Amino acid sequence: MTPLLVISLVVFCVGLTGVLVRRDLPVQIMSLELLLGASALAFVAGSLAHGLKGQSIALLIAAIAAAEVAVGLSLGVMLSRVHGTLDADEARSLGEERWRGARQEGRPRGARGDEEP
Amino acid sequence: METAAYVALAGAILSSVGVVAARRPVRSALSLLAFFLTLGVAFVALGAVFLGIAQVLVYAGAIVTFFLLVVMLLGSGLSPLFDKGARALLSVVATVALAGLTVVSALLTPLPDVTARARGSAEALVPSLFNELLVPFEVASLLLLVALVAALTLTRRKR
């Protein structure tokens, strides 16, 4: 069980490095997926010794990952529309005016692939 | 089977490094695909058959496709890819320190050896999933619904 836990820890730390070091939002979310996959591996390693509950929890982790990807990537689309970049550090303002203004004016600043249907 | 699992997990570690280190987001997404495929193979080899299949279906079939769609829609843009200098160094040092601490504590803790092979077929998962974990299961469905509405609301434009 210990080697499996160490492998899951290595993957977790690689993913954590990705979240901290990368700056474009989609790759940060992919690194978050690595974190969730590593924790699923840890649950499966536990289920080998302690029964099948860990595998059921790993299934629930897949649902959580799907929800996280949906929200995170729509935030990425929003970020690209408002700021014209995917750099997550650009989103520092909590002020609502900028976001609302960009929504109503409807045109992105420099964002690509954003045509109105 | 044990050996097959470890070979697949070595592939998973390599492809996770690929996700973080690739310069183009499309390559990161493809490395993520390789990561989930190898992780699914490892799950099957460890006896978690249903979980491995569900993993490949959900992640490789749906989530990675979604990533590729968004990456191609948005493009990589002109944003910088990596943090530079002291910030990146600090992140890496903190992560390595965390890894070291956790490895030491995992090696010091007496953990049971894997002797009994858990056969994780779909039938075998039913008692735990629908009895013990019934509330988390239902909450997960609620969570998916909320995420769906949130994604729609965030990307909607006012007419």
Side-chain angles (χ1 to χ4, degrees), chain A residues 61-107:
Chain A
I61 288 179
I64 292 173
E68 174 245 324
V69 167
V71 175
L73 286 183
S74 57
L75 279 177
V77 171
M78 202 54 204
L79 182 71
S80 140
R81 212 180 260 168
V82 173
H83 293 281
T85 174
L86 284 175
D87 189 355
D89 289 355
E90 285 292 316
R92 334 192 160 85
S93 162
L94 283 176
E96 213 175 312
E97 291 77 22
R98 201 169 172 197
W99 294 82
R100 190 191 287 144
R103 245 191 205 191
Q104 279 171 353
E105 115 199 358
R107 275 320 297 169

Side-chain angles (χ1 to χ4, degrees), chain A residues 10 20 43 54-55 64 68 86 114:
Chain A
V10 169
L20 293 175
F43 272 114
Q55 295 185 23
I64 292 173
E68 174 245 324
L86 284 175
D114 225 10

Side-chain angles (χ1 to χ4, degrees), chain B residues 5 10 25 46 57 82 94 97 112 126:
Chain B
L46 287 172
L57 279 181
F82 296 97
V126 166

